[in-house]
Amino acid sequence: MATGKKLMRAIRVFEFGGPEVLKLQSDVAIPFPKDNQVLIKVHACGVNPVETYIRSGTYSRKPLLPYTPGSDVAGVIQAVGNNVSAFKKGDRVFTSGTLTGGYAEYAVAADHTVYTLPEKLDFKQGAAIGVPYFTAYRALFHSAHVRAGESVLVHGASGGVGLAACQIARAYGLKVLGTAGTEEGQKIVLQNGAHEVFNHREVNYIDKIKKSVGESGINVIIEMLANVNLSKDLNLLSRGGRVVVVGSRGPIEITPRDTMAKESSIIGVSLYSSTKEEFQQYAAALQAGMEIGWLRPVIGSQYPLEKVAQAHENIIYGSGATGKMILLLQ
Ligand code: NAP
């Protein structure tokens, strides 16, 4: 797989554990693209919460050790393997997955997980599309089956998936409510598709949402922290309402009866349960959003590769998201 000659800087994980197991190495062999694969010179890579769960070794999916984390890179095609017709050296691209890991100066990806990055988006924005936008699209359309004219509460709207959900939902004609934990986060949520925003750190914010939506309730809730909010969500829903669980970090007690009178549903979503065809379908809708201009990723905190451990610490324990967290490689 490796050329054995050219070397790069990359993060390597040799054992599962805390952020300190993320080791920066400067003598990692640049990988070589095989059939239907491309080699990308990485300019930026998105940091997703799931990469911290995988690193800690507690996630259902465990990579073989050692490995390099990171799936959402943006950069330039450096080389293509055999049978690759969609891309050539020099093309600007972003990915929804890599084979060798994105926290690195170069990454190999299967060509069906690589997409053209339009000129109007920079590499940082390209690194914010993969997991967040594909997940938000799947949650809204595949899981919740949203229809134009419905209302959606993006419960946790200031981060990667939340802002993506706000932009997509607004573009497709939904009434969008969002929440954030800081004033700056609230402002960004309003600038990115939400009609109204609430602060999920305020004690009485659920009452404020109830007051705003009235008796009829909310049609859909895209939930980023179900272990905290699921019980409250069930009381906010309309008849036939749906809560889509995108994120959850522990158990919660709910009253199942809350689903009965309104015949509401709780639906889990898993991006990686999507088929290849679904990924292509979501990519087509998202490419249209980039062309038209409603898909505009907002970048929050940015870290160099040397500070990756800090990034992992902050994405879980940070004081308030203001967009998508990324690593800068170039
Ligand atoms: P992120 O960028 O770190 O954003 C986290 C979001 O959660 C922020 O908007 C944050 O708001 C919000 N939040 C914090 N406390 C909250 C509360 N009490 N109630 C509601 N929201 C709260 O993370 P992300 O990339 O958007 O991912 C969000 C979650 O979805 C993570 O748990 C991630 O693992 C999960 N996820 C799941 C899938 C899937 O396939 N199921 C795919 C992607 C992501 P403030 O910072 O403003 O307080």
Side-chain angles (χ1 to χ4, degrees):
M1 185 75 163
T3 60
K5 285 181 198 136
K6 294 190 181 146
L7 302 177
M8 66 174 181
R9 293 162 78 236
I11 299 298
R12 303 291 282 158
V13 174
F14 294 90
E15 57 178 331
F16 297 114
E20 70 282 355
V21 303
L22 298 159
K23 303 290 184 202
L24 175 57
Q25 302 213 309
S26 50
D27 56 354
V28 178
I30 295 179
F32 188 78
K34 295 199 268 195
D35 292 0
N36 303 106
Q37 297 177 359
V38 300
L39 175 67
I40 300 166
K41 182 173 186 188
V42 179
H43 283 247
C45 182
V47 178
N48 293 298
V50 69
E51 289 141 23
T52 71
Y53 319 150
I54 294 171
R55 185 217 66 225
S56 73
T58 55
Y59 196 61
S60 52
R61 199 158 38 85
K62 280 199 193 67
L64 285 176
L65 295 169
Y67 77 99
T68 298
S71 59
D72 299 349
V73 306
V76 175
I77 299 277
Q78 188 73 14
V80 299
N82 290 327
N83 305 325
V84 175
S85 55
F87 303 102
K88 60 178 187 321
K89 190 171 180 203
D91 286 350
R92 298 171 85 250
V93 294
F94 70 94
T95 64
S96 60
T98 68
L99 296 167
T100 56
Y103 294 10
E105 288 177 314
Y106 292 87
V108 161
D111 62 354
H112 69 272
T113 62
V114 180
Y115 316 89
T116 299
L117 180 66
E119 288 293 337
K120 60 171 91 161
L121 297 188
D122 62 26
F123 290 119
K124 295 180 194 177
Q125 291 176 304
I129 302 170
V131 167
Y133 279 85
F134 283 79
T135 301
Y137 191 91
R138 183 170 178 84
L140 287 163
F141 291 97
H142 181 274
S143 313
H145 299 286
V146 294
R147 293 180 291 272
E150 285 193 312
S151 57
V152 59
L153 170 68
V154 182
H155 213 162
S158 50
V161 182
L163 286 169
C166 289
Q167 291 179 1
I168 297 169
R170 183 64 181 260
Y172 282 85
L174 281 98
K175 164 105 191 276
V176 184
L177 283 69
T179 75
T182 63
E183 228 171 84
E184 199 186 344
Q186 285 182 269
K187 202 168 119 197
I188 292 170
V189 171
L190 272 185
Q191 287 164 348
N192 284 280
H195 294 89
E196 274 186 88
V197 69
F198 302 87
N199 188 328
H200 52 234
R201 292 186 198 169
E202 256 178 41
V203 224
N204 60 345
Y205 81 101
I206 292 288
D207 294 336
K208 288 187 179 172
I209 297 176
K210 271 189 185 147
K211 199 168 166 199
S212 165
V213 297
E215 281 298 297
S216 50
I218 294 165
N219 300 121
V220 170
I221 299 178
I222 305 296
E223 181 55 63
M224 302 304 158
L225 203 55
N227 55 302
V228 172
N229 297 323
L230 189 57
S231 171
K232 296 176 257 182
D233 288 344
L234 294 178
N235 287 299
L236 285 171
L237 286 178
S238 66
R239 275 197 77 79
R242 298 83 83 195
V243 184
V244 179
V245 177
V246 176
S248 189
R249 293 181 181 159
I252 181 173
E253 190 174 311
I254 60 162
T255 304
R257 181 175 287 276
D258 290 341
T259 64
M260 290 162 65
K262 293 189 274 190
E263 296 195 313
S264 52
S265 321
I266 302 166
I267 305 156
V269 64
S270 158
L271 175 62
Y272 290 107
S273 297
S274 312
T275 62
K276 224 181 199 180
E277 290 68 33
E278 284 168 341
F279 266 103
Q280 296 307 325
Q281 183 198 324
Y282 306 162
L286 298 174
Q287 285 284 1
M290 291 179 232
E291 285 160 22
I292 297 164
W294 58 253
L295 192 163
R296 291 180 318 276
V298 178
I299 305 306
S301 40
Q302 310 175 24
Y303 298 84
L305 215 45
E306 294 79 3
K307 295 274 165 59
V308 66
Q310 193 63 56
H312 268 218
E313 185 74 21
N314 290 352
I315 199 159
I316 301 299
Y317 302 109
S319 55
T322 52
K324 173 73 200 169
M325 180 184 286
I326 58 159
L327 291 177
L328 286 172
L329 277 300
Q330 306 292 334

